[in-house]
Amino acid sequence: MPRLTAKDLTIEEKLKLVIGGDHWGTNTLDGKVRYVKMVDGPIGRRLVVSEDKQGRETILPSIAYPCAQALSHAWSEDFAYELGKAIANDMIDVNADILLGPAVNIKRTPLCGRNFEYYSEDPLLSGNLAAAYIKGAQDQHIGTSLKHFCANNIEYARHYCSSNLDERTLREIYLKQFEIAIKESNPWTLMCSYNKVNGTWMSEHTELYKFLREEFKYDGTVVSDWNSVHDAVRTMNSGLDLIMPFKDIDYKRLKEGYEAGEISDDALDSAANNVLNLIYKCEDASKLRKRTMSIKSRKNLAYKLAQNGIVLLKNNNVLPLSNERLVVTGAPVLRYKAGNGSSKVTLKEPAMTLDVALQNANFDCIYKETTRYVPNGQGMMCGTDVTCREELLTRDAVVIAVGNENEFESGDRETIKLCRAEEDAIRHLSGLGKKVIVVLYAGAPVDMSSWIGCVDAVVFASFGGQYQNEAVVDVLTGKFNPCGHLTESFPTCLEDVPAEQAYRDVENFDYDEGLLVGYRYYTTSNYPVLYPFGYGLSYSRFAYSNMDVKVQNDMVKVSFTITNTSDVDGIDIPQIYVGPLSCEPDRPIRELKGYARVAVKKNSSKKVTVDIPMDRLQYFSINTNKWEPCKGKLTFMLGKNSRDIIIEKDIVLA
Ligand code: BGC
């Protein structure tokens, strides 16, 4: 069949094409064009197979990979690529076309209910991981949807609020990761967010769509987030291409608007052409699709990513375990822990519980209830067994599993503390004179101030997907040497978070902290944190030496030596921070500009070179209102994390 463009279609056909054909895909114009089937991600495939009258969905089970936060802890584009590839294979299994992910919003505040779906508080890392994930999926001929464009950093008021921010902040922090992912991987679609930016709904933000097309040269299809459209006519005129999902009211408004002359033919044709392009892209792609990973290799990947996503936060020489007699306790021992919402994957088979995973690793391990999950949303409760002192005293170590129940889409956390019962249980159990190891299941930072001093070790499991407990046990036992590093700051308490000091009501969120988000703020103001951005322990020890910084053409080459001074093979994630990029006001003193993931054998050294393209050192000037190259003296810092800088070198840029 010859390929159609907008000029081959009737007005009615064009109007039908620019709005979904149903809840999850495009209109086929009575068989004239192919259906494009979209399925939620980004943590795994979430295919809704049916919905009852009460809106209860039936989801086809799939592999639950670690959440985006866990993936990001590995600081590995290779892993992000593999994950995109694996989920694309899951999509091919059900003849789907577009995976609705990755999600790249910046973690401005740890309260945001969807932070587990996002990568980082840093745009470079977020952009690089997203670009690799997109490539991984699209190389398998499955399209992606880069979301949520943009400045959607809180959930509870996402349908009402305006994120108000200046241009420098918008470009450097909240658009940069979109720019990187678009320029490097060209996602087939891009999804707008629900919120307003500077007073205009993102589903009708002409200015930002123009910017997207002209500055980022984006040539894919812009899709609305589901039900984010307030006025279908304004949306069409703004440059958005596809309104999702189909709603009668939006279609009527489009039709009436067009008849009343409110929608220009140019706008309608451009959107219809962009939808047709997507349809044909999917048609071509569908002929090339074939499974490239067996189910087993996808599951192996889920397991490997779960191991690499764990961050060891504290270890007073109690880990790895040897042959201690253990008691495990806490509600998450028995429950699969994950964030909730449109990214929640339904498991095929139940995930292994922590006690069983420990027993499988040949530990003498019993389970005792001290906190209990209450499924009505009230959180945890102290159980009756908190006083089972005698039995606990016969054990060598207590493993306490705790975590967040309050991470989900469309709502935010009210606190970053654990619930009272869990905090009480940790404090109570640490009074028994046994080794105390806390395993924390969460997709966002936790305020540990009331208990961190009483425990010997903290293993941050993140939401590790269906193999999270096997992976946790591998870290506890040393079968896997932990190597995850945080990609967001863990503040001491919520009050320390810069975004929490900024003005906000239900309708207006002022991004007063500007560029000083996360570690950019804590390092610049020398403010203490519980665990800094970039932090993570290992069972190995690493030392850095011989740092050198050279400019070669358009590249700054930072080289150094890593020595593993321990008796254990390990993986390190050295980070390069640079700053300040200019002396303009309110700039961070250092910003992440490069990193590496390096395996170093015990008692040996490796030479590493990190390439930093010159254009990564540009800054958006508030004086000239454009990107400017960095000039003059610039400090390159080689660090173990954003606070622990080991060697610094200055260079002068002409
Ligand atoms: C979410 C998107 C998701 C879409 C479809 C929206 O509520 O914000 O991330 O892809 O629903 O489920």
Side-chain angles (χ1 to χ4, degrees):
M1 232 193 341
R3 298 221 149 161
L4 306 172
T5 65
K7 67 177 168 23
D8 304 312
L9 303 179
T10 64
I11 298 296
E12 196 180 340
E13 286 173 329
K14 288 191 257 191
L15 291 170
K16 282 187 171 159
L17 209 53
V18 298
I19 182 166
D22 58 19
H23 198 84
W24 294 108
T26 51
N27 198 308
T28 62
L29 306 181
D30 297 325
K32 247 188 181 174
V33 288
R34 180 186 190 284
Y35 179 70
V36 171
K37 178 169 169 178
M38 307 181 194
V39 176
D40 257 319
I43 289 159
R45 183 192 70 206
R46 185 179 180 277
L47 173 64
V48 180
V49 279
S50 64
E51 193 174 333
D52 68 14
K53 286 202 177 99
Q54 282 74 40
R56 282 182 301 240
E57 297 171 326
T58 304
I59 315 282
L60 191 71
S62 194
I63 300 172
Y65 301 90
C67 71
Q69 183 208 43
L71 174 74
S72 76
H73 289 157
W75 297 58
S76 163
E77 280 94 53
D78 291 345
F79 284 167
Y81 181 93
E82 282 185 60
L83 180 58
K85 177 177 173 183
I87 303 181
N89 272 267
D90 297 335
M91 298 278 287
I92 291 171
D93 286 346
V94 295
N95 291 321
D97 297 300
I98 305 288
L99 168 63
L100 298 176
V104 289
N105 297 86
I106 291 294
K107 304 186 191 204
R108 178 174 177 250
T109 158
L111 290 180
C112 175
R114 263 184 122 167
N115 276 356
F116 69 93
E117 283 187 64
Y118 303 145
Y119 296 119
S120 176
E121 66 190 23
D122 182 79
L124 173 70
L125 187 57
S126 302
N128 288 350
L129 294 176
Y133 177 104
I134 292 166
K135 261 188 224 147
Q138 293 188 175
D139 281 356
Q140 304 304 309
H141 314 287
I142 290 291
T144 54
S145 199
L146 181 64
K147 65 190 188 182
H148 310 87
F149 185 75
C150 63
N152 172 194
N153 310 101
I154 202 92
E155 281 296 294
Y156 82 95
R158 64 182 182 169
H159 292 287
Y160 318 99
C161 72
S162 174
S163 302
N164 301 326
L165 63 176
D166 61 82
E167 188 163 358
R168 174 174 78 171
T169 305
L170 184 62
R171 287 185 183 237
E172 288 202 20
I173 305 287
Y174 297 97
L175 287 176
K176 194 69 193 171
Q177 69 281 27
F178 286 98
E179 180 181 354
I180 295 170
I182 288 170
K183 289 185 175 164
E184 283 184 22
S185 307
N186 201 16
W188 295 3
T189 76
L190 173 131
M191 189 192 290
C192 80
S193 55
Y194 286 117
N195 53 296
K196 296 178 189 170
V197 167
N198 294 333
T200 304
W201 294 115
M202 275 314 303
S203 57
E204 49 192 65
H205 212 301
T206 315
E207 200 189 326
L208 279 172
Y209 293 141
K210 194 162 174 259
F211 180 86
L212 185 72
R213 300 292 188 192
E214 289 177 3
E215 297 233 3
F216 298 170
K217 308 274 181 262
Y218 183 59
D219 64 0
T221 309
V222 180
V223 179
S224 74
D225 197 347
W226 272 232
N227 302 313
S228 65
V229 168
H230 296 261
D231 179 89
V233 168
R234 287 205 306 264
T235 291
M236 247 327 96
N237 284 329
S238 71
L240 188 139
D241 302 314
L242 176 61
I243 295 174
M244 286 302 295
F246 175 80
K247 278 204 320 208
D248 216 29
I249 185 174
D250 286 336
Y251 181 67
K252 275 198 187 122
R253 175 76 185 112
L254 275 179
K255 210 162 175 261
E256 283 163 15
Y258 182 82
E259 282 159 9
E262 293 174 59
I263 301 178
S264 74
D265 281 307
D266 280 355
L268 184 60
D269 284 4
S270 157
N273 276 327
N274 282 337
V275 177
L276 284 171
N277 286 344
L278 179 67
I279 291 172
Y280 292 126
K281 212 182 259 181
C282 292
E283 186 169 308
D284 293 341
S286 68
K287 295 177 190 138
L288 301 170
R289 285 175 196 151
K290 54 177 191 295
R291 287 184 195 88
T292 51
M293 287 175 83
S294 63
I295 300 275
K296 186 156 184 281
S297 59
R298 292 176 229 170
K299 287 184 171 176
N300 288 344
L301 176 70
Y303 192 166
K304 180 169 82 175
L305 297 181
Q307 291 172 319
N308 283 280
I310 294 172
V311 184
L312 180 61
L313 293 177
K314 177 170 182 178
N315 184 14
N316 283 351
N317 288 323
V318 292
L319 295 178
L321 296 169
S322 37
N323 53 4
E324 289 88 342
R325 287 154 47 84
L326 303 174
V327 56
V328 290
T329 183
V333 171
L334 305 179
R335 290 190 62 242
Y336 169 64
K337 293 280 291 180
N340 215 339
S342 63
S343 66
K344 172 101 183 259
V345 176
T346 300
L347 299 184
K348 223 176 221 147
E349 54 265 335
M352 191 179 286
T353 60
L354 185 59
D355 54 340
V356 172
L358 279 161
Q359 283 154 6
N360 287 351
N362 293 326
F363 274 85
D364 172 354
C365 167
I366 55 165
Y367 168 73
K368 279 282 151 199
E369 186 175 82
T370 50
T371 63
R372 202 152 15 103
Y373 176 64
V374 185
N376 62 5
Q378 300 297 307
M380 308 288 175
M381 269 180 56
C382 246
T384 45
D385 247 349
V386 78
T387 50
C388 53
R389 203 179 158 82
E390 266 73 73
E391 203 157 1
L392 293 176
L393 286 173
T394 64
R395 302 267 123 189
D396 305 313
V398 192
V399 177
I400 312 174
V402 291
N404 290 341
E405 287 301 327
N406 50 4
E407 294 190 49
F408 49 83
E409 180 178 338
S410 81
D412 295 306
R413 299 200 284 162
E414 281 171 11
T415 163
I416 62 168
K417 287 183 178 237
L418 294 174
C419 68
R420 180 79 189 275
E422 289 189 324
E423 290 201 335
D424 285 352
I426 296 174
R427 281 192 302 260
H428 175 82
L429 294 167
S430 2
L432 297 175
K434 302 288 168 186
K435 293 178 186 173
V436 176
I437 298 142
V438 171
V439 181
L440 193 47
Y441 300 78
V446 169
D447 172 348
M448 307 177 204
S449 48
S450 78
W451 52 266
I452 187 72
C454 343
V455 304
D456 298 296
V458 180
V459 174
F460 187 74
S462 184
F463 290 141
Q466 67 187 51
Y467 297 111
Q468 63 191 6
N469 283 332
E470 289 90 326
V472 164
V473 169
D474 291 343
V475 165
L476 291 176
T477 59
K479 183 175 165 199
F480 184 84
N481 186 357
C483 57
H485 283 244
L486 297 178
T487 52
E488 65 204 284
S489 310
F490 275 36
T492 313
C493 60
L494 184 60
E495 293 68 33
D496 289 355
V497 176
E500 293 309 310
Q501 310 305 326
Y503 175 76
R504 90 174 187 222
D505 60 21
V506 175
E507 292 191 350
N508 282 290
F509 290 6
D510 292 349
Y511 286 35
D512 293 340
E513 73 286 357
L515 302 178
L516 300 179
V517 177
Y519 74 89
R520 284 171 163 78
Y521 166 74
Y522 300 115
T523 54
T524 305
S525 58
N526 199 18
Y527 213 81
V529 287
L530 180 61
Y531 294 113
F533 173 89
Y535 174 89
L537 300 176
S538 160
Y539 298 143
S540 310
R541 284 183 310 275
F542 300 103
Y544 302 156
S545 56
N546 303 327
M547 182 187 180
D548 193 27
V549 182
K550 275 202 189 79
V551 180
Q552 267 176 23
N553 305 321
D554 288 342
M555 200 64 88
V556 182
K557 292 194 163 284
V558 182
S559 57
F560 53 95
T561 304
I562 306 185
T563 305
N564 180 343
T565 59
S566 70
D567 290 330
V568 196
D569 296 349
I571 293 173
D572 189 25
I573 301 180
Q575 298 145 41
I576 311 292
Y577 296 87
V578 180
L581 297 186
S582 96
C583 53
E584 288 191 0
D586 306 320
R587 285 214 66 92
I589 56 160
R590 72 180 67 128
E591 299 180 63
L592 181 77
K593 292 294 165 188
Y595 49 89
R597 182 185 159 85
V598 194
V600 196
K601 293 256 176 243
K602 59 185 173 188
N603 300 310
S604 67
S605 297
K606 225 181 209 173
K607 179 149 188 220
V608 181
T609 303
V610 176
D611 288 343
I612 301 178
M614 265 309 187
D615 60 10
R616 223 180 254 177
L617 302 178
Q618 290 182 347
Y619 66 98
F620 192 81
S621 167
I622 50 172
N623 291 324
T624 64
N625 216 36
K626 59 185 176 64
W627 290 98
E628 296 288 355
C630 196
K631 286 207 174 104
K633 191 185 104 177
L634 196 57
T635 306
F636 282 71
M637 296 159 244
L638 168 61
K640 287 190 170 290
N641 59 61
S642 58
R643 287 317 264 274
D644 192 3
I645 302 299
I646 308 296
I647 317 179
E648 291 188 3
K649 279 263 145 83
D650 290 345
I651 61 166
V652 178
L653 293 173

